[in-house]
Amino acid sequence: MSRAVVFAYHNVGVRCLKVLLAQGVDVALVVTHEDNPNENIWFGSVAQVCRDYDIPFITPENPNVPEVEQRIAGLKPDFLFSFYYRNMLKATLLESAKYGAFNMHGSLLPKYRGRVPVNWAIIKGETETGATLHVMNVKPDNGPLVDQQAIPILPDDTAEEVFEKVTVAAEICLNRALPGLLNGTAQFVQQDLSLGAYFGGRKAEDGRIDWNQSITQVHNLVRAVTHPYPGAFCDTAQGRLILWRTRILQATGQAPRAALMAEHDKLIATTAQGGFLQILEAELNGQPLTTQMVSGFPGRTLLLSE
């Protein structure tokens, strides 16, 4: 029986850990994170899976410290796996596994290396993403590929919907690749890093809407940062506007300015580039935005930029 130490968090961590258990891997230790009380915890708990299956787990702030390194080395793992664990693992940990360290990344590498790949793929208007199992080294997301599983991104998919599909893709990818890893027959393919790029993390402020962009770009931002994320927003004369759900009615067309209007029973936004975006769910100063509210503004219009 192969022995593994697993670094895991989030839904991908939950599902991939269960794949290891289902295929008979001896999970000697799980390293996970304490949930941050200031974060919206909308995802599954790796720690709870460990409790359910009587797996030892620890939650160090930094795993790259001698006490953790020594504990893992003492377990003599055959494999080390990282499934959506948020900290970088340094060489001492990566080299502690007899047959190597492997990471599950939420994109089709080499595209969207780095942080929050699902959100970035939506922002950039991709129609496909997926999950990639790859060899880990000290540089993020650039080791040889073991396996990949693609999923579609539909035009109105939100980040949570895409992440649900990526979670399933990760489970399929690992379940398919694991037997080859365990029996030593897996084939690795070196990445061509020129075919992708590295992306950094995102903050709530990165959800600010630029109304000089196209309707499609605004729509992509909205669906990339909607619930459970902080939302796409802008500041207006009437207060802060947050868009939660939108639909493109017309990607191009004449529009003299960026504005939000009440037309019959619909809320319609335009950008400086033209086109028409239906606002399906939004809030203004913390209150649900309605056509009646916008109808009360001068000209039945809320200006979105100067």
Side-chain angles (χ1 to χ4, degrees):
M1 178 183 294
S2 296
R3 171 173 287 193
V5 170
V6 179
F7 293 74
Y9 196 59
H10 220 291
N11 291 343
V12 169
V14 168
R15 296 308 306 174
C16 287
L17 175 56
K18 288 189 174 183
V19 169
L20 297 183
L21 298 174
Q23 294 210 23
V25 174
D26 173 21
V27 179
L29 178 69
V30 169
V31 185
T32 187
H33 300 287
E34 292 282 356
D35 290 337
N36 183 343
N38 297 318
E39 182 178 351
N40 178 18
I41 306 299
W42 55 273
F43 42 82
S45 170
V46 168
Q48 187 57 52
V49 174
C50 293
R51 295 185 190 101
D52 293 345
Y53 287 85
D54 296 322
I55 302 170
F57 71 95
I58 56 176
T59 58
E61 288 189 15
N62 178 10
N64 301 290
V65 294
E67 61 185 84
V68 176
E69 294 169 346
Q70 291 166 11
R71 179 171 180 178
I72 290 174
L75 293 171
K76 301 186 183 307
D78 297 305
F79 297 93
L80 184 151
F81 291 101
S82 179
F83 305 132
Y84 267 64
Y85 187 73
R86 292 177 173 178
N87 292 346
M88 291 293 296
L89 305 183
K90 295 184 179 180
T92 300
L93 288 174
L94 297 179
E95 294 167 1
S96 63
K98 183 177 180 180
Y99 299 118
F102 300 87
N103 177 58
M104 184 67 71
H105 185 71
S107 78
L108 296 176
L109 291 177
K111 292 184 175 181
Y112 298 98
R113 304 190 298 276
R115 301 292 186 179
V116 293
V118 165
N119 308 75
W120 278 117
I122 295 172
I123 288 169
K124 296 297 183 180
E126 299 287 353
T127 59
E128 181 183 65
T129 189
T132 301
L133 184 67
H134 69 94
V135 176
M136 293 183 75
N137 53 37
V138 293
K139 294 183 179 180
D141 305 326
N142 76 338
L145 308 180
V146 182
D147 201 352
Q148 293 184 314
Q149 177 65 45
I151 57 96
I153 302 177
L154 304 186
D156 296 320
D157 277 349
T158 67
E160 184 174 12
E161 289 171 331
V162 175
F163 193 84
E164 288 173 353
K165 290 189 277 189
V166 167
T167 300
V168 175
E171 180 175 340
I172 292 170
C173 183
L174 180 64
N175 194 63
R176 182 172 59 218
L178 190 57
L181 286 178
L182 299 181
N183 65 28
T185 62
Q187 301 294 309
F188 304 150
V189 178
Q190 189 63 47
Q191 292 190 58
D192 181 352
L193 300 181
S194 69
L195 299 178
Y198 183 87
F199 289 80
R202 294 183 59 83
K203 306 181 296 295
E205 178 62 25
D206 296 324
R208 184 178 292 276
I209 301 168
D210 178 359
W211 289 103
N212 292 310
Q213 292 186 322
S214 69
I215 283 289
T216 300
Q217 288 172 305
V218 173
H219 176 62
N220 288 343
L221 177 64
V222 170
R223 61 198 186 99
V225 299
T226 190
H227 302 298
Y229 300 102
F233 69 94
C234 66
D235 293 313
T236 74
Q238 302 293 335
R240 175 154 291 191
L241 173 70
I242 303 178
L243 303 185
W244 294 114
R245 287 196 303 126
T246 56
R247 181 171 72 96
I248 296 175
L249 297 179
Q250 186 176 322
T252 59
Q254 292 186 348
R257 59 190 174 180
L260 192 155
M261 300 155 285
E263 293 190 359
H264 305 294
D265 61 342
K266 292 182 173 63
L267 292 170
I268 308 296
T270 61
T271 75
Q273 289 193 30
F276 300 92
L277 187 70
Q278 184 177 358
I279 309 305
L280 300 173
E281 182 184 353
E283 62 184 68
L284 185 64
N285 284 332
Q287 299 299 316
L289 186 67
T290 64
T291 54
Q292 292 80 8
M293 188 184 299
V294 176
S295 294
F297 298 150
R300 298 167 56 87
T301 299
L302 179 62
L303 293 180
L304 300 175
S305 64
E306 296 296 333

